[in-house]
Amino acid sequence: MKSIIKTENLRLYYGKKEALHGISLEIPEKQITALIGPSGCGKSTFLRSLNRMNDLIDNVTITGTVKINDHDIYAPKTDIVKLRQDVGMVFQQPNPFSFSIYENVSFGLKLAGITDKEEIDARVEESLKQAAIWEVVKDRLNDNAQGLSGGQQQRICIARVLATRPEVILMDEPTSALDPISASQIEETMIKLSQDYTIVTVTHNMQQASRISDMTALFVAGKVVEYDETSTIFMNPKEQVTSDYINGIFG
Ligand SMILES: Nc1ncnc2c1ncn2[C@@H]1O[C@H](COP(=O)(O)OP(=O)(O)O)[C@@H](O)[C@H]1O
Ligand SMILES: [Mg+2]
């Protein structure tokens, strides 16, 4: 299977504190990779390092490499706006802007310099369909996105990411602020999206990781202690610490 993301000996420091202790991972294309592990083990930090969101935090030092499609994303010539369009991100708290559904979804297109109204309309519709919310919102695209329910807002955020046609979607506990029905609907959408996109998702929910992911990486204290096919991680892990974590012995 082709890997699309390769990190090599990735280390990240907040000030002097090392949060990622040399992570080397190859993440396969068009699969769902779940990052699991106890709070504070570096899952969000790792995720943010894949589209340079950590650049926005003061005092961060990064060594090692992150390659996406064999391109070193920390190379000085990297276009960061383009990178974040190719590698989009969805957060735990749905965070649509306080403007219309249409403006939310088309936001990245303006940044990408797309001005043709027909093109924008088509992309908005396509993205809302892929995010499985077109039928709900098609007659009220001018309504404020923050008036929607939490699960619907999260779909708008997914559509906003899809509009720029990314290759990779990073999701940081995308369902943990949602009710169980919305959460399971988002899971279904993630599975569908993984036919066309590479998804890297953080989850605290072991059932969710085992239901939806192809690969699972267990992080503990800034290191990946085991990374394998999800079925192996859950049914036949090689490390005792993995078995302990998935059985709820710590975490
Ligand atoms: N902006 C930040 N500044 C300083 N330390 C941070 C920052 N974000 C995270 N950390 C620290 O880095 C470590 C990893 O955090 P994080 O990546 O958020 O873990 P997780 O997502 O697995 O809960 C923790 O010790 C956390 O306190
Ligand atoms: Mg986190």
Side-chain angles (χ1 to χ4, degrees):
M1 201 167 316
K2 183 173 178 272
S3 30
I4 180 168
I5 301 170
K6 290 183 194 167
T7 74
E8 263 172 30
N9 199 21
L10 176 66
R11 291 175 191 273
L12 184 144
Y13 304 80
Y14 293 111
K16 291 204 159 52
K17 186 174 169 261
E18 190 172 355
L20 298 178
H21 296 257
I23 310 269
S24 300
L25 271 191
E26 296 200 4
I27 295 176
E29 187 177 60
K30 296 183 185 173
Q31 304 266 294
I32 300 181
T33 296
L35 312 180
I36 63 171
S39 284
C41 67
K43 304 178 299 295
S44 297
T45 299
F46 178 74
L47 203 66
R48 288 195 300 264
S49 71
L50 303 180
N51 72 346
R52 296 188 54 170
M53 289 292 275
N54 291 315
D55 286 17
L56 306 173
I57 304 172
D58 282 344
N59 245 330
V60 167
T61 311
I62 294 171
T63 67
T65 54
V66 178
K67 288 187 180 165
I68 297 184
N69 284 323
D70 293 321
H71 170 75
D72 176 0
I73 66 165
Y74 286 92
K77 63 177 191 314
T78 300
D79 177 344
I80 294 181
V81 173
K82 170 95 172 42
L83 171 67
R84 298 207 183 116
Q85 288 169 350
D86 292 343
V87 186
M89 194 153 191
V90 174
F91 299 87
Q92 177 174 9
Q93 277 306 327
N95 60 350
F97 306 118
S98 180
F99 33 69
S100 75
I101 294 165
Y102 183 92
E103 289 169 308
N104 265 278
V105 180
S106 58
F107 187 80
L109 300 176
K110 299 221 174 82
L111 285 181
I114 297 171
T115 52
D116 179 58
K117 175 88 166 76
E118 273 178 37
E119 167 81 7
I120 295 174
D121 287 355
R123 294 260 203 133
V124 167
E125 179 171 340
E126 168 192 285
S127 309
L128 288 166
K129 281 181 175 160
Q130 286 182 302
I133 190 154
W134 171 249
E135 288 304 322
V136 178
V137 300
K138 64 180 181 191
D139 298 320
R140 44 174 168 142
L141 294 177
N142 294 319
D143 289 5
N144 193 304
Q146 292 185 350
L148 298 168
S149 74
Q152 292 169 338
Q153 290 188 27
Q154 196 63 308
R155 290 179 179 283
I156 299 299
C157 296
I158 293 171
R160 185 172 63 189
V161 161
L162 292 172
T164 58
R165 296 186 177 150
E167 288 195 76
V168 178
I169 307 173
L170 308 175
M171 305 180 101
D172 197 346
E173 303 189 44
T175 67
S176 60
L178 306 179
D179 65 87
I181 292 173
S182 306
S184 80
Q185 290 167 341
I186 298 268
E187 282 185 13
E188 276 174 42
T189 301
M190 290 167 73
I191 292 169
K192 262 200 203 111
L193 289 173
S194 69
Q195 292 172 6
D196 298 308
Y197 304 91
T198 302
I199 296 180
V200 187
T201 186
V202 172
T203 181
H204 271 121
N205 180 326
M206 294 302 104
Q207 283 81 21
Q208 178 173 86
S210 64
R211 266 195 305 268
I212 71 172
S213 71
D214 303 287
M215 300 292 290
T216 297
L218 172 63
F219 281 66
V220 176
K223 294 190 176 123
V224 173
V225 296
E226 189 163 356
Y227 176 50
D228 212 323
E229 290 183 8
T230 297
S231 55
T232 302
I233 293 284
F234 282 88
M235 320 260 273
N236 192 18
K238 293 183 182 60
E239 305 292 334
Q240 184 64 37
V241 58
T242 307
S243 160
D244 289 350
Y245 182 74
I246 61 182
N247 288 305
I249 291 173
F250 72 100

